[in-house]
Amino acid sequence: MSLCIFHHPLYSALVLPARHRFPLAKYQALFEQLGNLGYPLAEAAPASRAQIERVHDAAYVEAALAGTLDAGAIRQLGFPWSPVLIERTLRSVGATLAASRHALVQGCGLQISGGYHHAHRDFGSGFCLFNDLVIAAQTCLDEGRCEQVLIVDLDVHQGDGSAALCQGRRDIITLSLHGEHNFPRHKPASHMDFPLPSGMEDDAYLTTLAEALNLALRLYTPDLILYQAGVDVHHADELGYLSLSNEGVRQRDAMVFDCAQRHGLPIAAVPGGGYRRDWQQLIPLHMSLFEEAHRRYG
């Protein structure tokens, strides 16, 4: 087995308005730190329009790519439209797909961006234009690489787009642990939802996660796990209402990788959300994902 981490320079190249909430610079910082530590890094091909339209409405995809989304759609997305936004998004979706394909052969793949779980079939939301997790799952299914994918979403915000896109399906299963009172206001039903009370700390969270993973693997038989590892569960996150410590975030990541290994399941992982004005504080939290993967698959 060998680990590979996918990245593209455009991840941090998007120009955002002053004081925008999204900590875009973290991706380049992660790339540099991983490179300095000798981690295996690679670029992936962009996702194709055909792959995206297997999941998203064709008219929405056309408007997004052409820059003709209306003002309300742009406001809901949370990013200004630009050609760089499109290229960055296609590269990031492609990287999640590449990480998934790599995992199916080598056991584990990661990428430095990704986790666009608020993107719905015909609209974007919460900084998410196209849903890379569902697109990667759908493409791997279409290619005959797997038969059932489990999306394990541990971002503090429920993956409402993933839930809505996969409702009623048996080939893509959605599992979400999220803050009960956090964004999004309307939370479509995942296959398995675990809404968590504000202020939940390490022990209660990790106990719940262990129960959730055990239940998922009793009810379903996935042959690929896609892991959304948002660090906005941390107690200092400015948009999260949970209270995990640094060590709690690391133990969470370790638990998911250990579960995958115990059940012999390939796993692809993306770092997901994390929100602080002092974005440098996010780097060690995100690094736990790559360090725990490297410890097991490097």
Side-chain angles (χ1 to χ4, degrees):
M1 292 192 297
S2 67
L3 185 68
C4 188
I5 302 169
F6 294 90
H7 170 263
H8 194 273
L10 284 176
Y11 287 172
S12 289
L14 189 64
V15 177
L16 297 178
R19 300 188 61 78
H20 194 281
R21 295 294 299 175
F22 199 82
L24 201 67
K26 71 179 183 179
Y27 300 114
Q28 184 63 25
L30 281 168
F31 171 74
E32 292 172 1
Q33 184 157 339
L34 290 164
N36 290 339
L37 292 171
Y39 281 60
L41 297 162
E43 290 186 12
S48 71
R49 182 168 182 158
Q51 289 165 345
I52 295 167
E53 288 183 352
R54 288 285 289 132
V55 170
H56 291 285
D57 176 76
Y60 167 64
V61 175
E62 168 61 25
L65 296 179
T68 59
L69 294 170
D70 63 34
I74 292 295
R75 188 164 52 251
Q76 186 170 15
L77 173 63
F79 281 151
W81 189 92
S82 68
V84 174
L85 172 66
I86 298 305
E87 181 65 17
R88 178 189 185 277
T89 300
L90 296 179
R91 288 287 182 177
S92 189
V93 175
T96 299
L97 173 56
S100 302
R101 288 171 171 159
H102 185 87
L104 285 160
V105 176
Q106 297 290 344
C108 183
L110 300 100
Q111 80 129 321
I112 292 177
S113 180
Y116 305 136
H117 60 169
H118 298 308
H120 287 247
R121 177 167 173 76
D122 57 0
F123 65 92
S125 177
F127 313 133
C128 303
L129 186 66
F130 299 138
N131 195 308
D132 61 310
L133 298 164
V134 180
I135 293 167
Q138 183 67 61
T139 304
C140 288
L141 291 165
D142 289 344
E143 293 172 347
R145 297 172 184 266
C146 54
E147 295 182 355
Q148 188 178 75
V149 181
L150 172 63
I151 297 176
V152 176
D153 192 331
L154 303 187
D155 196 273
V156 79
H157 305 107
Q158 193 225 25
D160 56 323
S162 301
L165 286 165
C166 299
Q167 279 184 344
R169 298 187 64 156
R170 300 291 294 182
D171 53 355
I172 307 177
I173 306 302
T174 52
L175 164 63
S176 178
L177 273 68
H178 53 266
E180 180 178 13
H181 302 294
N182 211 320
F183 177 88
R185 184 180 60 81
H186 173 63
K187 298 176 175 60
S190 308
H191 290 82
M192 291 167 288
D193 278 307
F194 292 80
L196 308 175
S198 299
M200 178 177 273
E201 298 180 348
D202 292 358
D203 289 348
Y205 183 95
L206 294 169
T207 297
T208 304
L209 175 57
E211 293 170 351
L213 293 171
N214 288 336
L215 177 61
L217 293 173
R218 286 200 304 271
L219 294 176
Y220 303 101
T221 55
D223 38 18
L224 172 64
I225 293 175
L226 301 186
Y227 174 33
Q228 215 280 29
V231 301
D232 40 16
V233 295
H234 191 265
H235 68 84
D237 196 86
E238 293 165 7
L239 298 183
Y241 300 155
L242 302 184
S243 296
L244 271 66
S245 67
N246 288 35
E247 182 59 24
V249 172
R250 179 176 295 277
Q251 290 181 29
R252 178 202 65 171
D253 294 339
M255 182 180 291
V256 176
F257 287 125
D258 285 344
C259 177
Q261 283 199 322
R262 190 165 58 251
H263 291 271
L265 296 173
I267 181 170
V270 300
Y275 302 92
R276 296 202 212 172
R277 296 292 184 192
D278 183 9
W279 60 265
Q280 291 92 340
Q281 298 301 314
L282 299 170
I283 301 306
L285 295 173
H286 283 307
M287 279 298 298
S288 73
L289 177 71
F290 301 99
E291 290 163 357
E292 293 302 318
H294 189 263
R295 185 168 290 129
R296 290 158 179 80
Y297 301 94

